């Protein structure tokens, strides 16, 4: 079945550092790929998504590119802020979005001032 | 827009009792809602897909008689954990799919269930 593997946390960085959170996937066909963020005490929020190969999703300074050749969707940000501290989940779904999402285990990101 | 609520946000119950969790889409109609379960420091695992007016589809390994799902309207789905036991203690999260917005799923804040 489908699966998502992302780097385990916690990941601790200083403010303004460069961020990469790795995510790779296994799926049949051409899934849609997502990054969700969960701030303390809140529900999951969609951060960005990509629906086909070579698409780049971006939002709030975060970016991820759908790489089919490496089955990856790594999350990057050039300069993190303390407010970026949260848990980040990589996920995939079928192209039409009819099925539920398959999530990675989540990466807890801690940004220190 | 696109807000999903869950009630209650947390519940503690005795072993053997049943607990109902509600999931509501507040400002859109959701023909499909999903129920997930999250263990501490683990991923969200899809439990079932709930379609309005029809029976839920359960993922492999999820007991449908244990986790009763009802999707009576386009804005409400309920999950009832029947005869709960300590191993059912978990964080339950619902999402609602909005067909009018790229089929995106919007998540509720989750319900923490503790069974004593």
């Amino acid at each position: 079945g489908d699966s998502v593997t992302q780097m385990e946390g916690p990941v601790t960085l200083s403010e303004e550092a460069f961020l990469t959170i790795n995510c790779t996937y296994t799926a049949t066909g051409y899934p849609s790929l997502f990054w969700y963020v969960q701030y303390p005490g809140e529900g999951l929020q969609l951060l960005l998504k990509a629906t086909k190969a070579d698409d780049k999703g971006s939002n709030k300074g975060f970016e991820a590119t759908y790489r089919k050749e490496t089955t990856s969707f790594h999350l990057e940000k050039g300069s993190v802020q303390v407010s970026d501290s949260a848990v980040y989940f990589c996920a995939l779904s079928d192209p039409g979005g009819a099925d539920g999402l398959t999530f990675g285990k989540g990466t807890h990101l801690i940004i220190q001032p | 827009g696109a807000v999903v609520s869950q009630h209650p946000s947390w519940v503690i119950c005795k072993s053997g009792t049943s607990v109902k969790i509600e999931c509501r889409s507040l400002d859109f109609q959701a023909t499909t809602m999903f129920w997930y379960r999250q263990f501490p420091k683990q991923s969200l695992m899809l439990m079932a897909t709930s379609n309005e007016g029809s029976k839920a589809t359960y993922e492999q390994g999820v007991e449908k008689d244990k986790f009763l799902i009802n999707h009576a309207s386009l804005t409400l789905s309920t999950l009832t954990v029947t005869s709960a036991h300590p191993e059912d203690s978990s964080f339950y999260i619902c999402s609602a799919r909005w067909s009018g917005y790229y089929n995106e799923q919007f998540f509720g804040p989750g319900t923490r269930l503790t069974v004593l």
Side-chain angles (χ1 to χ4, degrees):
Chain A
D2 297 346
S3 67
V4 175
T5 302
Q6 63 181 104
M7 57 193 296
E8 302 272 337
V11 173
T12 303
L13 296 173
S14 297
E15 203 166 20
E16 299 184 3
F18 184 87
L19 169 71
T20 300
I21 300 178
N22 291 334
C23 171
T24 57
Y25 67 90
T26 302
T28 55
Y30 300 89
S32 294
L33 301 175
F34 306 84
W35 277 100
Y36 282 85
V37 58
Q38 186 175 33
Y39 297 104
E42 299 184 15
L44 272 74
Q45 301 173 26
L46 178 64
L47 181 59
L48 53 84
K49 68 177 181 181
T51 58
K52 60 182 188 294
D54 299 326
D55 264 3
K56 178 184 284 188
S58 61
N59 186 26
K60 299 181 180 180
F62 291 90
E63 293 183 340
T65 301
Y66 190 144
R67 300 288 189 198
K68 185 151 182 68
E69 62 276 14
T70 55
T71 62
S72 65
F73 193 54
H74 304 322
L75 182 68
E76 297 181 335
K77 186 175 185 181
S79 176
V80 292
Q81 306 299 313
V82 171
S83 57
D84 294 326
S85 299
V87 181
Y88 293 81
F89 292 91
C90 185
L92 66 80
S93 77
D94 67 291
D99 298 336
L101 294 161
T102 299
F103 285 90
K105 289 189 175 183
T107 302
H108 186 192
L109 176 64
I110 301 169
I111 307 300
Q112 296 177 333
Chain B
V3 178
V4 176
S5 70
Q6 280 186 242
H7 179 79
S9 55
W10 60 271
V11 57
I12 301 172
C13 69
K14 293 182 179 180
S15 186
T17 61
S18 295
V19 175
K20 180 184 285 187
I21 302 169
E22 293 186 348
C23 176
R24 294 182 183 271
S25 56
L26 298 184
D27 47 8
F28 66 99
Q29 293 185 330
T31 54
T32 304
M33 290 184 173
F34 302 92
W35 287 94
Y36 296 85
R37 182 173 178 176
Q38 184 179 26
F39 292 100
K41 299 186 178 181
Q42 296 287 324
S43 177
L44 283 76
M45 301 297 294
L46 179 65
M47 298 175 65
T49 301
S50 167
N51 290 299
E52 186 265 338
S54 63
K55 290 184 178 180
T57 303
Y58 291 81
E59 295 298 302
Q60 191 172 9
V62 177
E63 299 176 60
K64 62 181 180 181
D65 294 332
K66 173 80 161 165
F67 299 99
L68 300 179
I69 292 172
N70 183 277
H71 193 157
S73 77
L74 289 172
T75 60
L76 174 64
S77 177
T78 60
L79 168 68
T80 301
V81 183
T82 62
S83 186
H85 289 91
E87 58 265 29
D88 299 324
S89 298
S90 193
F91 196 54
Y92 293 89
I93 302 173
C94 75
S95 72
R97 184 165 66 97
W98 188 5
S99 60
Y101 193 73
Y102 307 102
N103 280 330
E104 184 173 326
Q105 289 187 35
F106 295 90
F107 285 81
T111 297
R112 171 74 61 193
L113 170 63
T114 301
V115 184
L116 303 177

